[in-house]
Every structure is written in C-alpha cells, then in structure tokens.
Amino acid sequence: MILRATGLIFGFLLAAQASLAADLRIMAEDASEPFSRADGTGYANDILRAAFHAAGVDVTFDVVPYARCKKSLEQAKTPACFSMSWQKEFEGIIAFSEAPIFEVYADVFQSKRAPLKFSAARDLGKGAVLGIVNEYEYPESLYGLAKNGVVLERGVNEQANLKMLARGRLDAAVVMTSDFERPLQRARDAGVDAAVTYAFRSGTMKSYVGFSLKHPQGEWARQNFDAGYRMIVANGTKDRIRSQWMSKKPQQ
C-alpha cells in the first residue's frame, strides 16, 4: 500500500512538472499596430499563439512598452520578446527564431508645411532632427546619420513622433509600415494626416521572436516556437491568420 501511494505521488509530481513545463509567459509589445496591440491582440500575437499551441505549449503575454520588453530580454527576466530585428548588440545575449514572423518598411514621413527637398535619408543635413522610437531597431544606414550630425530624437512611440512632426518639432520621422495597412494609416491614426505625409522609404526590416540565451526557458521556448512555426506554415494556419488580418486593412 505504501509503495503504491508513493508511486502515485511520484506520478503526480511528474505530471505536475510536465504541466508547468508546458506553460510559458513571455513579453509582447503594446504599441505596434497591427502586429501587437495594447489589448494583447495582433497579427504577431496570433502567430505566436498558434505556433506554441501546435508545439503543445500554452503561452500567455505580458503586454509592455517595447523598451521594457527588450530590456527584460537582455537581462534574462523574460524567456522571449517580440517583435525584434537583429542588432550586433544582441550577440551572445539573444537568439532569434529561425524565420521572421513578418516584414516592415522604414518609411520617412515629412511635414506638409516644410517638405523635404530630397528623396533619401542620407541627404538629411547636419542639425536636422529625425524622430525614431526609443529602443526600436532600424536599418544601419539610419543610425549612421548621427555621424553626419543628424539628431536622432527618440520618442515613446510612432504616434507621438508624428504629432511632434506635425507641430514642427521634428524635421522628419521614421515610421515602420507594412503591407497590412494603407500608406498613410499611421498618420490618420495619430490624427495628423492633414499635416504630415509620406516622403520616402529607407529600408526593409525582418521581424523575429527574440529568445534569451540566459533565461532557463529561453532555449526551450525557441525550439518549441521554431517547431510549431514550421507546423503552422506547413498546414496553412499561418496563411489563414495573415488573410484574416489583411482583410482588416482599411480600404481608404
């Protein structure tokens, strides 16, 4: 009887450990329309839920500003953060998913009252103020502008930067756009489409899931996500999610 009870307890403990191992809590950005929203919805959120579900992992999200998401990952306080683009500073700290979950464009917006007189960011002159988002990743060519005397003004989010551009406090602003939205949708969402407009494109970025190399669940989470992502690509789930979000794209 004692041996049987001991066996039951041991089996229960193993089952409990397996259950815990299948639970994962990671961080998601709160202001990246339409990929990761403040309410926990978004295209990227749906992709991650589907991929982890396919791998048998129940995932939940802590929805936070991107700067906190990135810093927590760098400090190994969370197993994963999304969505991220590669920077040399991540080497030895963060591993990326084997495939990107979406692609974005680094588009430069200008003021209608003071339009830019050129068609490339490299032509921004010394002292020009370019709005970017704090802790976002951008093409290296944009970071290189600082060496030419361009001031990279780091704002809290893209809507705030577009509003500053409309008020004349920035000379230009970089907005990460995508195929999921109309070209001027971000300006409309910020309520400044009468004052600012698209100027030109300054590069393309692929966005991945970042996994901590030091957090106990980091590598386990990466392997499960990659396995699950391959499954949802193969069975068409990823395409269905994309179609659902593309159907929400404003028509005008």
Side-chain angles (χ1 to χ4, degrees), residues 81-155:
C81 166
F82 66 98
S83 306
M84 309 181 72
S85 296
W86 180 254
Q87 300 284 294
K88 187 171 178 58
E89 65 194 70
F90 297 153
E91 195 167 346
I93 301 173
I94 298 169
F96 275 17
S97 52
E98 64 184 9
I101 50 178
F102 60 86
E103 186 175 85
V104 290
Y105 313 116
D107 286 345
V108 174
F109 278 63
Q110 62 186 348
S111 167
K112 290 183 178 179
R113 288 183 297 179
L116 301 172
K117 296 179 172 59
F118 43 84
S119 58
R122 63 175 178 272
D123 295 322
L124 280 168
K126 183 178 181 180
V129 183
L130 178 66
I132 62 175
V133 176
N134 185 40
E135 297 295 342
Y136 266 25
E137 296 91 41
Y138 294 95
E140 283 299 324
S141 58
L142 289 179
Y143 292 120
L145 295 175
K147 298 177 181 178
N148 299 329
V150 174
V151 178
L152 300 180
E153 184 72 24
R154 289 170 166 78

Coordinates of all heavy atoms in Angstrom, one line a residue, residues 81-155:
C81 N 10.8 37.9 -26.2 CA 10.2 39.2 -26.5 C 10.0 39.3 -28.0 O 10.8 38.8 -28.8 CB 11.1 40.3 -26.1 SG 10.7 42.0 -26.7
F82 N 8.9 39.9 -28.5 CA 8.6 40.1 -29.9 C 7.9 41.4 -30.1 O 7.2 41.9 -29.2 CB 7.9 38.9 -30.5 CG 6.4 38.7 -29.9 CD1 5.4 39.2 -30.7 CD2 6.2 38.1 -28.7 CE1 4.1 39.1 -30.2 CE2 4.9 38.0 -28.3 CZ 3.8 38.5 -29.0
S83 N 8.2 42.0 -31.3 CA 9.0 41.5 -32.5 C 10.2 42.3 -32.6 O 10.3 43.5 -32.3 CB 8.1 41.7 -33.7 OG 6.9 41.0 -33.6
M84 N 11.3 41.6 -33.0 CA 12.7 42.2 -32.9 C 13.4 42.1 -34.3 O 13.1 41.1 -35.0 CB 13.5 41.6 -31.8 CG 12.8 41.6 -30.4 SD 13.9 40.9 -29.2 CE 15.1 42.2 -28.9
S85 N 14.3 43.0 -34.5 CA 15.2 42.9 -35.7 C 16.6 42.8 -35.2 O 17.0 43.5 -34.2 CB 15.0 44.0 -36.7 OG 13.7 44.0 -37.2
W86 N 17.5 42.1 -35.9 CA 18.8 41.9 -35.4 C 19.7 43.1 -35.3 O 19.7 44.0 -36.2 CB 19.6 40.9 -36.3 CG 21.0 40.6 -35.9 CD1 22.1 41.0 -36.4 CD2 21.3 39.9 -34.7 NE1 23.2 40.6 -35.7 CE2 22.7 39.9 -34.6 CE3 20.6 39.2 -33.7 CZ2 23.4 39.2 -33.6 CZ3 21.3 38.5 -32.7 CH2 22.7 38.6 -32.7
Q87 N 20.4 43.2 -34.2 CA 21.4 44.3 -34.0 C 22.7 43.6 -33.4 O 22.5 42.6 -32.6 CB 20.9 45.3 -33.0 CG 19.7 46.1 -33.5 CD 20.0 47.1 -34.6 OE1 20.7 48.1 -34.4 NE2 19.5 46.8 -35.8
K88 N 23.8 44.1 -33.7 CA 25.1 43.4 -33.2 C 25.1 43.3 -31.7 O 25.7 42.4 -31.1 CB 26.3 44.2 -33.7 CG 27.6 43.5 -33.4 CD 28.8 44.2 -34.1 CE 30.1 43.5 -33.8 NZ 30.1 42.1 -34.1
E89 N 24.5 44.3 -31.0 CA 24.5 44.3 -29.5 C 23.8 43.1 -28.9 O 24.0 42.7 -27.8 CB 23.8 45.6 -29.0 CG 22.3 45.6 -29.4 CD 21.6 46.9 -29.2 OE1 21.9 47.8 -30.0 OE2 20.8 47.1 -28.2
F90 N 23.0 42.3 -29.7 CA 22.3 41.2 -29.2 C 23.2 39.9 -29.2 O 22.8 38.9 -28.6 CB 21.1 40.8 -30.1 CG 20.0 41.9 -30.1 CD1 19.2 42.1 -31.2 CD2 19.9 42.8 -29.0 CE1 18.2 43.1 -31.2 CE2 18.9 43.8 -29.1 CZ 18.1 43.9 -30.2
E91 N 24.3 40.0 -29.9 CA 25.2 38.8 -30.0 C 25.6 38.3 -28.6 O 26.1 39.0 -27.8 CB 26.4 39.1 -30.8 CG 27.2 37.9 -31.3 CD 28.2 38.3 -32.4 OE1 28.2 39.4 -32.9 OE2 29.0 37.4 -32.6
G92 N 25.4 37.0 -28.4 CA 25.7 36.3 -27.1 C 24.7 36.5 -26.0 O 24.8 35.9 -24.9
I93 N 23.6 37.3 -26.3 CA 22.6 37.6 -25.3 C 21.2 37.0 -25.8 O 20.5 36.5 -25.0 CB 22.5 39.1 -25.0 CG1 23.9 39.6 -24.5 CG2 21.4 39.4 -24.0 CD1 23.9 41.1 -24.4
I94 N 21.0 37.2 -27.1 CA 19.6 36.9 -27.6 C 19.8 36.0 -28.8 O 20.7 36.3 -29.7 CB 18.9 38.2 -28.0 CG1 18.6 39.1 -26.7 CG2 17.5 37.9 -28.7 CD1 18.1 40.5 -27.1
A95 N 19.0 35.0 -28.9 CA 18.9 34.2 -30.2 C 17.5 34.5 -30.8 O 16.5 34.6 -30.1 CB 19.0 32.7 -29.8
F96 N 17.5 34.5 -32.1 CA 16.3 34.8 -32.9 C 15.6 33.5 -33.4 O 16.3 32.5 -33.5 CB 16.6 35.7 -34.0 CG 16.6 37.2 -33.7 CD1 16.7 37.6 -32.4 CD2 16.5 38.1 -34.7 CE1 16.7 38.9 -32.1 CE2 16.5 39.5 -34.4 CZ 16.6 39.9 -33.1
S97 N 14.4 33.6 -33.6 CA 13.7 32.5 -34.3 C 14.3 32.2 -35.6 O 14.9 33.1 -36.2 CB 12.2 32.8 -34.4 OG 12.0 34.1 -35.1
E98 N 14.2 31.0 -36.1 CA 14.8 30.6 -37.4 C 14.2 31.3 -38.6 O 14.9 31.4 -39.6 CB 14.8 29.1 -37.6 CG 13.5 28.5 -37.7 CD 13.6 27.0 -37.9 OE1 14.6 26.4 -37.6 OE2 12.5 26.4 -38.2
A99 N 13.0 31.8 -38.4 CA 12.4 32.5 -39.5 C 11.7 33.8 -39.0 O 11.2 33.8 -37.8 CB 11.3 31.6 -40.2
P100 N 11.6 34.8 -39.8 CA 10.9 36.0 -39.3 C 9.4 35.8 -39.3 O 8.9 34.9 -40.0 CB 11.3 37.1 -40.4 CG 11.5 36.3 -41.6 CD 12.2 35.0 -41.1
I101 N 8.7 36.6 -38.5 CA 7.2 36.4 -38.5 C 6.5 37.5 -39.3 O 5.4 37.3 -39.7 CB 6.7 36.5 -37.0 CG1 7.3 37.7 -36.3 CG2 7.0 35.2 -36.3 CD1 6.7 37.8 -34.8
F102 N 7.2 38.5 -39.7 CA 6.7 39.5 -40.6 C 7.8 40.4 -41.1 O 8.9 40.3 -40.6 CB 5.5 40.3 -40.1 CG 5.8 41.1 -38.9 CD1 6.4 42.4 -38.9 CD2 5.6 40.6 -37.6 CE1 6.6 43.1 -37.8 CE2 5.8 41.3 -36.4 CZ 6.4 42.6 -36.6
E103 N 7.5 41.3 -42.0 CA 8.5 42.2 -42.6 C 7.9 43.7 -42.5 O 6.7 43.8 -42.7 CB 8.8 41.9 -44.0 CG 9.9 42.7 -44.7 CD 10.2 42.1 -46.1 OE1 9.5 42.5 -47.0 OE2 11.1 41.3 -46.2
V104 N 8.7 44.6 -42.2 CA 8.3 46.0 -42.1 C 9.2 46.9 -42.9 O 10.3 46.5 -43.3 CB 8.2 46.5 -40.7 CG1 7.1 45.9 -39.9 CG2 9.5 46.3 -39.9
Y105 N 8.7 48.1 -43.2 CA 9.5 49.1 -44.0 C 9.8 50.3 -43.2 O 8.9 50.8 -42.5 CB 8.7 49.5 -45.2 CG 8.1 48.3 -46.0 CD1 6.7 48.2 -46.1 CD2 8.9 47.3 -46.5 CE1 6.2 47.1 -46.8 CE2 8.4 46.2 -47.2 CZ 7.0 46.1 -47.3 OH 6.5 45.0 -48.0
A106 N 11.0 50.8 -43.3 CA 11.4 52.0 -42.5 C 11.0 53.2 -43.4 O 11.9 53.6 -44.3 CB 12.9 52.0 -42.2
D107 N 9.8 53.8 -43.3 CA 9.4 54.9 -44.1 C 9.6 56.2 -43.4 O 9.3 56.3 -42.2 CB 7.9 54.7 -44.5 CG 7.7 53.6 -45.5 OD1 8.7 53.2 -46.1 OD2 6.6 53.2 -45.7
V108 N 10.1 57.2 -44.1 CA 10.3 58.5 -43.6 C 9.1 59.4 -43.9 O 8.6 59.4 -45.1 CB 11.6 59.1 -44.1 CG1 11.7 60.6 -43.7 CG2 12.8 58.3 -43.7
F109 N 8.5 60.0 -42.9 CA 7.4 61.0 -43.1 C 7.9 62.4 -42.9 O 8.9 62.7 -42.2 CB 6.3 60.7 -42.1 CG 5.4 59.6 -42.5 CD1 5.9 58.3 -42.6 CD2 4.1 59.8 -42.7 CE1 5.1 57.2 -43.0 CE2 3.2 58.8 -43.1 CZ 3.7 57.5 -43.3
Q110 N 7.3 63.3 -43.6 CA 7.7 64.7 -43.6 C 6.5 65.6 -43.3 O 5.3 65.2 -43.4 CB 8.2 65.1 -45.0 CG 7.2 65.0 -46.1 CD 7.8 65.2 -47.5 OE1 8.9 65.7 -47.6 NE2 7.0 64.9 -48.5
S111 N 6.8 66.9 -43.0 CA 5.7 67.8 -42.8 C 5.3 68.4 -44.1 O 6.1 68.7 -45.0 CB 6.2 69.0 -41.9 OG 5.4 70.1 -41.9
K112 N 4.0 68.6 -44.3 CA 3.5 69.2 -45.5 C 3.9 70.7 -45.6 O 4.0 71.2 -46.7 CB 1.9 69.1 -45.6 CG 1.5 67.6 -45.8 CD 0.0 67.6 -45.9 CE -0.5 66.1 -46.2 NZ -2.0 66.1 -46.3
R113 N 4.0 71.3 -44.4 CA 4.4 72.7 -44.4 C 5.9 72.9 -44.7 O 6.2 74.0 -45.2 CB 4.1 73.3 -43.0 CG 2.6 73.5 -42.7 CD 2.4 74.2 -41.4 NE 2.9 73.4 -40.3 CZ 2.8 73.7 -39.0 NH1 2.3 74.9 -38.7 NH2 3.3 72.9 -38.1
A114 N 6.7 71.9 -44.4 CA 8.1 72.1 -44.6 C 8.6 70.7 -45.3 O 9.3 70.0 -44.6 CB 8.9 72.4 -43.4
P115 N 8.2 70.4 -46.5 CA 8.6 69.1 -47.1 C 10.1 69.1 -47.3 O 10.8 70.1 -47.6 CB 7.8 69.2 -48.4 CG 7.6 70.6 -48.7 CD 7.4 71.3 -47.4
L116 N 10.6 67.8 -47.3 CA 12.0 67.6 -47.6 C 12.3 67.8 -49.0 O 11.4 67.5 -49.9 CB 12.4 66.2 -47.2 CG 12.1 65.8 -45.7 CD1 12.3 64.3 -45.5 CD2 13.0 66.6 -44.8
K117 N 13.4 68.3 -49.3 CA 13.8 68.6 -50.7 C 14.7 67.6 -51.4 O 15.4 67.9 -52.3 CB 14.5 70.0 -50.8 CG 13.6 71.1 -50.3 CD 14.3 72.5 -50.4 CE 13.4 73.6 -50.1 NZ 12.7 73.5 -48.8
F118 N 14.6 66.3 -50.9 CA 15.4 65.3 -51.4 C 14.6 64.0 -51.2 O 13.5 64.0 -50.6 CB 16.8 65.2 -50.7 CG 16.7 65.4 -49.2 CD1 16.5 64.3 -48.4 CD2 16.9 66.7 -48.7 CE1 16.4 64.5 -47.0 CE2 16.8 66.9 -47.3 CZ 16.6 65.8 -46.5
S119 N 15.2 62.8 -51.7 CA 14.4 61.6 -51.6 C 15.2 60.4 -51.0 O 15.0 59.3 -51.2 CB 14.1 61.2 -53.0 OG 15.2 61.0 -53.9
A120 N 16.2 60.8 -50.1 CA 16.9 59.8 -49.3 C 17.3 60.3 -48.0 O 17.7 61.5 -47.9 CB 18.1 59.3 -50.1
A121 N 17.3 59.5 -47.0 CA 17.6 59.9 -45.6 C 19.1 60.4 -45.5 O 19.4 61.2 -44.7 CB 17.4 58.7 -44.6
R122 N 19.9 59.8 -46.3 CA 21.4 60.2 -46.3 C 21.6 61.7 -46.6 O 22.6 62.2 -46.3 CB 22.2 59.3 -47.2 CG 21.8 59.5 -48.7 CD 22.7 58.8 -49.6 NE 22.4 58.9 -51.0 CZ 21.5 58.2 -51.7 NH1 20.9 57.2 -51.0 NH2 21.2 58.4 -52.9
D123 N 20.6 62.3 -47.2 CA 20.7 63.7 -47.5 C 20.3 64.7 -46.4 O 20.3 65.9 -46.6 CB 19.9 64.0 -48.8 CG 20.5 63.3 -50.0 OD1 21.8 63.2 -50.1 OD2 19.7 62.8 -50.9
L124 N 19.8 64.1 -45.3 CA 19.4 65.0 -44.2 C 20.7 65.7 -43.7 O 21.7 65.1 -43.5 CB 18.9 64.1 -43.0 CG 17.4 63.7 -43.1 CD1 17.1 62.7 -42.1 CD2 16.5 64.9 -43.0
G125 N 20.6 67.0 -43.6 CA 21.8 67.8 -43.3 C 22.1 67.8 -41.8 O 21.3 67.4 -40.9
K126 N 23.3 68.3 -41.5 CA 23.7 68.5 -40.1 C 22.7 69.3 -39.3 O 22.3 70.4 -39.8 CB 25.1 69.1 -40.1 CG 25.7 69.2 -38.7 CD 27.1 69.8 -38.7 CE 27.7 69.9 -37.3 NZ 29.1 70.5 -37.4
G127 N 22.4 68.8 -38.1 CA 21.4 69.6 -37.3 C 20.0 69.2 -37.5 O 19.1 69.6 -36.7
A128 N 19.7 68.5 -38.6 CA 18.3 68.0 -38.8 C 17.9 67.1 -37.7 O 18.7 66.3 -37.2 CB 18.2 67.4 -40.2
V129 N 16.6 67.1 -37.3 CA 16.1 66.3 -36.2 C 15.2 65.2 -36.8 O 14.1 65.5 -37.4 CB 15.4 67.1 -35.2 CG1 14.9 66.2 -34.0 CG2 16.3 68.2 -34.7
L130 N 15.6 64.0 -36.6 CA 14.8 62.8 -37.2 C 14.2 62.0 -36.0 O 14.9 61.6 -35.1 CB 15.7 61.9 -38.0 CG 15.1 60.6 -38.6 CD1 14.1 61.0 -39.6 CD2 16.2 59.8 -39.2
G131 N 12.9 61.9 -36.0 CA 12.3 61.1 -34.9 C 12.3 59.6 -35.1 O 11.9 59.1 -36.2
I132 N 12.8 58.9 -34.1 CA 12.7 57.4 -34.1 C 12.1 57.0 -32.7 O 11.9 57.9 -31.8 CB 14.1 56.8 -34.3 CG1 15.1 57.2 -33.2 CG2 14.7 57.2 -35.6 CD1 16.4 56.5 -33.3
V133 N 11.8 55.8 -32.5 CA 11.2 55.3 -31.3 C 12.3 54.7 -30.4 O 13.2 54.0 -30.8 CB 10.1 54.3 -31.5 CG1 9.6 53.7 -30.2 CG2 9.0 54.9 -32.3
N134 N 12.3 55.1 -29.1 CA 13.3 54.6 -28.2 C 13.4 53.1 -28.2 O 12.3 52.4 -28.0 CB 12.9 55.1 -26.8 CG 14.0 54.7 -25.7 OD1 15.2 54.8 -26.0 ND2 13.5 54.4 -24.5
E135 N 14.6 52.5 -28.4 CA 14.9 51.1 -28.3 C 14.4 50.3 -29.5 O 14.6 49.1 -29.6 CB 14.4 50.4 -27.0 CG 15.0 51.0 -25.8 CD 16.5 50.7 -25.6 OE1 17.0 49.8 -26.4 OE2 17.1 51.3 -24.8
Y136 N 13.7 50.9 -30.5 CA 13.4 50.2 -31.7 C 14.7 49.9 -32.5 O 15.7 50.6 -32.4 CB 12.5 51.1 -32.6 CG 11.0 50.8 -32.5 CD1 10.5 50.3 -31.3 CD2 10.1 51.1 -33.5 CE1 9.1 50.1 -31.2 CE2 8.7 50.9 -33.4 CZ 8.3 50.4 -32.2 OH 6.9 50.2 -32.1
E137 N 14.6 48.9 -33.4 CA 15.7 48.6 -34.3 C 15.4 49.2 -35.6 O 14.3 49.2 -36.1 CB 16.0 47.1 -34.4 CG 16.4 46.5 -33.1 CD 15.2 45.9 -32.3 OE1 14.3 45.4 -32.9 OE2 15.3 46.1 -31.1
Y138 N 16.5 49.8 -36.3 CA 16.3 50.4 -37.6 C 17.5 50.0 -38.5 O 18.5 49.5 -38.0 CB 16.3 51.9 -37.4 CG 15.1 52.5 -36.7 CD1 15.2 52.8 -35.3 CD2 13.9 52.7 -37.4 CE1 14.1 53.3 -34.7 CE2 12.8 53.3 -36.7 CZ 12.9 53.5 -35.3 OH 11.9 54.0 -34.7
P139 N 17.3 50.2 -39.8 CA 18.4 49.9 -40.7 C 19.7 50.6 -40.3 O 19.6 51.8 -39.8 CB 17.9 50.4 -42.1 CG 16.4 50.3 -42.0 CD 16.1 50.6 -40.5
E140 N 20.8 50.0 -40.4 CA 22.1 50.6 -40.0 C 22.3 52.0 -40.7 O 23.0 52.9 -40.1 CB 23.3 49.7 -40.3 CG 23.4 48.5 -39.4 CD 23.7 49.0 -37.9 OE1 24.4 50.0 -37.7 OE2 23.2 48.3 -37.0
S141 N 21.8 52.2 -41.9 CA 22.0 53.4 -42.6 C 21.4 54.6 -41.8 O 21.9 55.7 -41.9 CB 21.4 53.3 -44.0 OG 20.0 53.0 -43.9
L142 N 20.3 54.3 -41.1 CA 19.7 55.4 -40.3 C 20.5 55.8 -39.1 O 20.7 56.9 -38.8 CB 18.3 55.0 -39.9 CG 17.3 55.0 -41.1 CD1 15.9 54.6 -40.5 CD2 17.2 56.4 -41.8
Y143 N 21.1 54.8 -38.4 CA 21.9 55.0 -37.3 C 23.2 55.8 -37.7 O 23.7 56.7 -37.0 CB 22.4 53.7 -36.6 CG 21.2 53.0 -35.9 CD1 20.9 51.7 -36.3 CD2 20.5 53.6 -34.8 CE1 19.8 51.0 -35.6 CE2 19.5 52.9 -34.2 CZ 19.2 51.6 -34.6 OH 18.1 51.0 -34.0
G144 N 23.6 55.5 -38.9 CA 24.8 56.2 -39.4 C 24.6 57.7 -39.6 O 25.6 58.4 -39.7
L145 N 23.4 58.1 -39.7 CA 23.1 59.6 -39.9 C 23.7 60.4 -38.8 O 24.0 61.6 -38.9 CB 21.6 59.8 -40.0 CG 21.0 59.2 -41.3 CD1 19.5 59.4 -41.2 CD2 21.5 59.8 -42.6
A146 N 23.7 59.8 -37.6 CA 24.2 60.6 -36.4 C 25.7 61.0 -36.6 O 26.1 62.1 -36.1 CB 24.1 59.7 -35.1
K147 N 26.4 60.2 -37.3 CA 27.8 60.6 -37.6 C 27.9 61.8 -38.5 O 29.0 62.5 -38.6 CB 28.6 59.4 -38.3 CG 28.6 58.2 -37.4 CD 29.3 57.0 -38.1 CE 29.3 55.7 -37.3 NZ 29.9 54.6 -38.0
N148 N 26.9 62.1 -39.2 CA 26.8 63.2 -40.1 C 26.2 64.4 -39.5 O 25.9 65.4 -40.2 CB 26.1 62.9 -41.4 CG 26.7 61.7 -42.2 OD1 27.9 61.6 -42.1 ND2 25.9 61.0 -42.9
G149 N 25.9 64.3 -38.2 CA 25.4 65.5 -37.5 C 23.9 65.5 -37.4 O 23.3 66.5 -36.8
V150 N 23.2 64.5 -37.9 CA 21.7 64.4 -37.7 C 21.4 64.0 -36.3 O 22.0 63.1 -35.7 CB 21.1 63.4 -38.7 CG1 19.6 63.2 -38.5 CG2 21.4 63.8 -40.1
V151 N 20.4 64.7 -35.7 CA 20.0 64.4 -34.3 C 18.9 63.3 -34.4 O 17.8 63.6 -35.0 CB 19.4 65.7 -33.6 CG1 18.9 65.3 -32.2 CG2 20.5 66.7 -33.6
L152 N 19.1 62.2 -33.8 CA 18.1 61.1 -33.7 C 17.3 61.3 -32.4 O 17.8 61.0 -31.3 CB 18.8 59.8 -33.7 CG 19.6 59.5 -35.0 CD1 20.2 58.1 -34.9 CD2 18.8 59.6 -36.2
E153 N 16.1 61.9 -32.5 CA 15.2 62.2 -31.4 C 14.4 60.9 -31.1 O 13.6 60.5 -31.9 CB 14.3 63.3 -31.7 CG 13.5 63.8 -30.6 CD 14.2 64.5 -29.5 OE1 15.3 65.0 -29.8 OE2 13.8 64.5 -28.3
R154 N 14.6 60.3 -29.9 CA 14.0 59.1 -29.5 C 12.7 59.4 -28.8 O 12.7 59.8 -27.6 CB 14.9 58.2 -28.7 CG 16.1 57.6 -29.5 CD 17.1 57.0 -28.7 NE 18.0 56.2 -29.5 CZ 19.0 56.7 -30.2 NH1 19.2 58.0 -30.3 NH2 19.8 55.9 -30.9
G155 N 11.5 59.0 -29.4 CA 10.3 59.2 -28.8 C 9.7 58.0 -28.2 O 10.3 56.9 -28.3

